[in-house]
Amino acid sequence: MARMRGRKRKKSIYGLQLGWIFAAVVSILVIIVCGEKLIALSNNFKSDDSSQNSNKVIADNKEQETLNKPEKTDPKTPTGTDNTPETKTPTGEANTPKNESTSPTDITPKPTDITPEPTDITPKPTDKPSKSEKEDNKKLVAFTFDDGPYPPVTKRILDVLQENGAKATFFVMGNRMGTYPDTVKSAYEIGCEIGNHSYSHENLTKLDTDKIIYEVEHSDDCIKEVISVGNVLLRPPYGEHNELVDKTVKVPMIAWSVDSEDWKSRNKDSIVKEVLDHVQDGSIVLMHDLYSTTADAVEYLVPELIKQGYELVTVSELFERKGIEIEAGKLYRNAKSK
Ligand code: ZN
């Protein structure tokens, strides 16, 4: 019996031990499983946060990009391909480099996308400013011929001008228009300007209002009949004007700053000397397409002045290029830059 009891005790002790071990194993398993779940849960939370953060970062970047993009594209959109130099030149190169220098610091990844564009653009602005600089630096002079047309002389002058890509202004007489319309037409067709020198070369300061109107406006009508352009510039005969003339005349009046005195000397060398001694940027030169000696002088002067860096332009172009707006009823002797 004692043995039996002993065996039974042993068995119950074993049973108890097994029970404890089983309970311990189960609890360990439970702890492991729960632990894993907790870790997984915490990871999920973490990953949600980080993804939210990364989304935020992306969103911020996008905002930055969209904020920065207009700055970058704005100066470029108007510049386009053909317009680039134009918009860049007047707005000033100083503005564009500023934008370019600020934007790369704002968005570091962007420059890789954009760098090719600036390299495309750079050659263009360098082309244009140099051109406009050249134009601005060019000395301009306007040759003017009064009292014509007189085909034997006028045609020679037109030939020299055309051969040299030069232009001039012809202040014609209204009463000669009917006789030589073709000479005036061909002058106009090669880009020369036709101005009005009154109908019959009367000194306007000695006339009353009606006669001034007749001398100026009748002559202008005769010019309009030939070239289909009216209200042309007026050179009052002898360069004379007074208050009444200023009030009555409805176009700008053009005098001169260099008198070749061709009518007085009728000598090629002295005409050439008069012009070369006095010509400067913005000059208006007075000559007459009536004398062969004037044509001789012009044949020498046109290529010579071009060699000296002058561009021979019409009176209207001279004032336009110098940025001077000419007004009706006012007399101008030259076009000096502001
Ligand atoms: Zn005259």
Side-chain angles (χ1 to χ4, degrees):
M1 278 294 282
R3 268 192 183 177
M4 283 284 279
R5 272 182 192 171
R7 272 182 193 171
K8 267 188 182 175
R9 260 184 204 170
K10 265 190 180 176
K11 266 189 182 175
S12 64
I13 285 164
Y14 281 129
L16 267 171
Q17 278 175 339
L18 277 169
W20 278 114
I21 287 162
F22 179 75
V25 167
V26 166
S27 59
I28 285 164
L29 280 169
V30 166
I31 286 162
I32 288 167
V33 169
C34 287
E36 274 178 1
K37 274 194 177 176
L38 277 170
I39 288 160
L41 270 172
S42 70
N43 277 344
N44 275 347
F45 273 113
K46 269 185 192 172
S47 65
D48 279 349
D49 282 351
S50 60
S51 68
Q52 266 177 354
N53 282 340
S54 63
N55 280 342
K56 263 191 184 176
V57 171
I58 290 162
D60 285 351
N61 280 344
K62 274 188 181 171
E63 260 178 73
Q64 246 190 348
E65 277 174 34
T66 44
L67 278 173
N68 289 323
K69 258 197 176 175
E71 269 181 70
K72 281 226 130 194
T73 45
D74 271 351
K76 267 163 213 165
T77 13
T79 50
T81 46
D82 293 336
N83 296 331
T84 337
E86 274 166 47
T87 42
K88 275 212 165 184
T89 358
T91 46
E93 287 162 280
N95 290 334
T96 26
K98 265 183 199 170
N99 284 342
E100 275 165 20
S101 66
T102 48
S103 39
T105 50
D106 294 342
I107 12 146
T108 19
K110 270 253 144 179
T112 48
D113 297 337
I114 278 151
T115 28
E117 285 172 49
T119 51
D120 288 346
I121 289 160
T122 31
K124 284 172 196 169
T126 51
D127 283 342
K128 261 256 165 155
S130 61
K131 267 188 192 174
S132 61
E133 272 168 33
K134 264 188 182 177
E135 272 172 23
D136 290 339
N137 292 336
K138 208 152 202 186
K139 292 181 284 183
L140 304 176
V141 58
F143 273 18
T144 62
F145 299 93
D146 288 9
D147 299 356
Y150 176 56
V153 175
T154 313
K155 280 183 178 173
R156 277 179 65 195
I157 292 168
L158 291 179
D159 287 345
V160 195
L161 293 171
Q162 210 174 3
E163 278 164 26
N164 291 276
K167 282 161 196 170
T169 303
F170 293 84
F171 288 103
V172 297
M173 304 279 305
N175 63 8
R176 283 173 174 257
M177 294 302 286
T179 323
Y180 306 116
D182 292 344
T183 313
V184 176
K185 255 187 208 166
S186 56
Y188 184 69
E189 277 163 10
I190 65 160
C192 285
E193 184 168 16
I194 307 300
N196 183 1
H197 194 39
S198 83
Y199 186 75
S200 58
H201 215 276
E202 293 273 342
N203 185 335
L204 301 181
T205 62
K206 292 177 178 165
L207 305 178
D208 60 27
T209 309
D210 287 346
K211 281 184 179 163
I212 294 170
I213 290 172
Y214 176 81
E215 276 295 317
V216 176
E217 295 189 6
H218 180 49
S219 186
D220 196 83
D221 289 341
C222 296
I223 292 166
K224 199 177 178 182
E225 263 178 46
V226 174
I227 60 164
S228 306
V229 176
N231 284 323
V232 298
L233 299 174
L234 175 74
R235 168 161 288 161
Y238 316 102
E240 294 273 334
H241 73 120
N242 59 15
E243 252 182 66
L244 183 62
V245 171
D246 295 352
K247 264 191 218 169
T248 313
V249 169
K250 290 169 189 151
V251 292
M253 291 178 281
I254 308 298
W256 56 89
S257 56
V258 177
D259 186 351
S260 69
E261 296 190 332
D262 59 344
W263 57 275
K264 204 157 96 184
S265 70
R266 309 234 182 144
N267 177 288
K268 177 200 165 184
D269 293 339
S270 101
I271 297 165
V272 166
K273 193 180 183 307
E274 280 299 324
V275 174
L276 292 183
D277 282 356
H278 299 102
V279 72
Q280 51 181 278
D281 185 27
S283 286
I284 297 173
V285 180
L286 169 67
M287 285 183 269
H288 300 81
D289 50 338
L290 293 179
Y291 318 110
S292 60
T293 45
T294 299
D296 294 340
V298 170
E299 281 166 356
Y300 176 82
L301 283 168
V302 171
E304 174 59 25
L305 287 173
I306 291 169
K307 225 186 274 172
Q308 290 185 20
Y310 280 94
E311 192 177 337
L312 280 81
V313 295
T314 64
V315 169
S316 289
E317 192 182 349
L318 177 71
F319 285 104
E320 242 178 69
R321 295 263 294 269
K322 293 290 179 190
I324 300 166
E325 232 174 272
I326 49 174
E327 295 167 36
K330 283 190 178 174
L331 185 104
Y332 299 85
R333 296 181 192 283
N334 58 30
K336 287 206 170 158
S337 299
K338 281 170 191 171

